């Protein structure tokens, strides 16, 4: 019979599977509908013989359930394992176990299980969840991402009220090695100084656990305890995908959930407009997004999928993406997979073509003042359709609201404010820099927001922004994020296909068909396999 300390084994005797030996579960977080486990190394497929192990609070019963999914994490050096929520009266200190070929039963040491069961597994709404080393050649500090301190949205906070804590152990053991002060704070992002011993040797920062606490600098001894933390400092390899000729001129970042069916059209179209590098933050999708990305990458589309398991953190995710992209990209666009840049063309004027979006941003790459370009968005409705358009959203949806809604931005990531403060649609910029509103007659964004009901109803079940209410909740019903006239249940109105239709606009449809359709078959590139 095999005994488990704080690492995994694959079963007793010769029936074990070496694939799962010596894997440390270094963090656990309770999300609303599942449990996330962070494993210290990469789990290679197949992982269908891996179980989540649940212990009851009295250590009298054990329940095994297959894992929901496994993902690469932190540049594929670690893994995320998703488990079902624990049964009633069972601990959230869930472990992992590989099923041996002989079906062996593995028994853990009781004293270790007691410690495990007594440890507190943080909830998703009060936890430090990511930490990134940010170095620009002149200064280095750590950017920490945390939920639970309830900073006001869209505003910079007083950094003097926060402190970072660095440790080589879990924080519930209270073993802190260093404390440093915060130098910037906003929303869920905290920027702290590095301890001198780490600052002099940045490689030491890797995998040090970090937490954040609130301090009262007016009252001695009134500091709060550090938040629970699963965050270890990540050193991003910024040169892994870098262009051989230096930085990419134009990159794009998005956060998605179960939108694999829209990804091909979005990437192929915008690559034609000049986007060279893609950062996809995947917020717990269970569709074929990785398969779509793998296929596109075979054709040199230069896409990185980043597993981002943290719910209601879109603003923080975009801040994280800006940190990753600033060493690779001169310009970085933040927009969703149902949003498409469009260059209107009028007879007698310059006709847009391939790389038009890249050419636009390059005009401002050396600007001493402009650090962000903003474009207005037009929201499109179902356009009389009842099923998803076979040729894609750009061709299928052609009726929109008359007035524009909101805007989207493309930024110079090196010129963002030290807080990385953003409102999803735009960022706070460094002092001395400003944004430019690009004329609608020059470029705009078609937002295919209100699609056929089967596509649209997914919005009821997941809103990724931190400060946007989930539509099933019965408050903030006047928010512009909600669809006008809908309640809190995903029930299709009888006239849904006719809604949000005030202006018939076929401009992008004709532009796409004229420039991207095959001259012989009429097929668009995302309609057929790239193989």
């Amino acid at each position: 019979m095999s005994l488990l300390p704080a690492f995994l084994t694959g079963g007793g005797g010769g029936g074990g599977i070496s694939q799962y030996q010596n894997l440390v579960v270094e963090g656990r977080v309770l999300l609303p509908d599942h449990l996330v486990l962070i494993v210290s190394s990469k789990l290679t497929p197949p992982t269908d013989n891996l179980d989540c192990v649940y212990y009851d609070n009295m250590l009298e019963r054990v329940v095994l359930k297959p894992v929901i999914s496994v993902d690469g994490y932190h540049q594929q050096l670690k893994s995320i394992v998703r488990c079902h929520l624990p049964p009633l009266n069972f601990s959230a200190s869930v472990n992992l176990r590989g099923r041996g070929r002989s079906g062996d039963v593995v028994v853990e040491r009781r004293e270790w299980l007691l410690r495990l069961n007594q440890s507190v597994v943080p909830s998703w709404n009060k936890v430090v969840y990511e930490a990134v080393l940010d170095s620009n050649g002149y200064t280095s500090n750590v950017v920490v991402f945390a939920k639970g301190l309830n900073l006001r949205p869209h505003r910079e906070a007083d950094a003097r009220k926060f402190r970072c804590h660095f440790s080589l152990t879990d924080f519930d053991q209270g073993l802190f090695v260093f404390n440093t002060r915060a130098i910037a704070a906003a929303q869920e992002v905290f920027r702290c100084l590095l301890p001198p011993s780490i600052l002099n040797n940045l490689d030491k920062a890797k995998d040090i656990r970090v937490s954040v606490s609130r301090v009262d600098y007016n009252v001695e001894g009134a500091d709060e305890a550090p938040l629970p933390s699963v965050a270890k400092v990540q050193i991003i390899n910024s040169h892994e995908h870098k262009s051989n000729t230096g930085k990419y001129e134009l990159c794009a970042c998005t956060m998605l959930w179960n939108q694999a069916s829209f990804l091909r059209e979005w990437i192929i179209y915008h690559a034609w407009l000049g986007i060279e590098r893609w950062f996809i933050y995947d917020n717990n999708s269970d569709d074929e997004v990785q398969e779509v990305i793998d296929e596109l990458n075979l054709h040199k589309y230069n896409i990185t999928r980043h597993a981002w398991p943290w719910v209601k953190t879109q603003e923080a995710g975009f801040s994280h993406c800006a940190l990753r992209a600033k060493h690779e990209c001169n310009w970085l666009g933040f927009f969703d997979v149902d949003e498409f840049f469009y260059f209107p063309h009028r007879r007698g004027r310059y006709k847009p073509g391939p790389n038009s979006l890249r050419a636009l941003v390059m005009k401002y790459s050396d600007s001493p003042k402009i650090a962000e370009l903003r474009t207005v968005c037009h929201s499109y409705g179902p356009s009389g359709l009842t099923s998803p358009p076979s040729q894609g959203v750009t061709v299928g949806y052609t009726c929109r609201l008359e007035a524009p809604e909101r805007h989207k931005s493309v930024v110079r990531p090196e010129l963002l404010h030290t807080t990385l403060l953003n409102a999803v649609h735009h960022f706070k910029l460094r002092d001395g820099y400003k944004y430019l509103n690009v004329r609608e007659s020059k470029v705009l964004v078609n937002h295919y927001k209100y699609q056929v009901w089967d596509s649209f109803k997914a919005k009821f079940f997941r809103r990724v922004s931190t400060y946007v209410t989930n539509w099933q909740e019965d408050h903030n019903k006047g928010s512009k994020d909600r669809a006008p006239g809908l309640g809190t249940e995903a029930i299709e109105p009888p006239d849904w296909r006719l809604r949000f239709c005030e202006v018939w606009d076929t401009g992008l449809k004709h532009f796409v068909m004229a420039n991207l359709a095959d001259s012989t078959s009429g097929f668009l590139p995302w309609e057929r396999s790239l193989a």
Side-chain angles (χ1 to χ4, degrees), residues 131-144:
V132 177
L133 181 71
D134 185 24
S135 180
N136 61 11
Y138 302 100
T139 60
S140 297
N141 40 59
V142 64
V143 180
V144 183

Side-chain angles (χ1 to χ4, degrees), residues 82 130 194 222 237 286 501:
R82 298 177 180 88
E130 293 280 354
L194 286 168
N237 182 1
D286 56 10
C501 181

Side-chain angles (χ1 to χ4, degrees), residues 125 146-153 162 187-188 190 214 467:
N125 57 2
K147 276 189 174 291
L149 293 172
N150 301 321
L151 275 62
R152 298 182 69 178
F162 305 98
Q187 299 183 156
E188 295 185 358
F190 304 82
R214 192 189 303 270
Y467 306 105

Side-chain angles (χ1 to χ4, degrees), residues 15-31:
I17 300 176
S18 61
Q19 174 189 3
Y20 298 126
Q21 289 181 358
N22 303 323
L23 298 180
V24 177
V25 179
E26 61 181 42
R28 302 167 175 84
V29 179
L30 273 167
L31 298 184

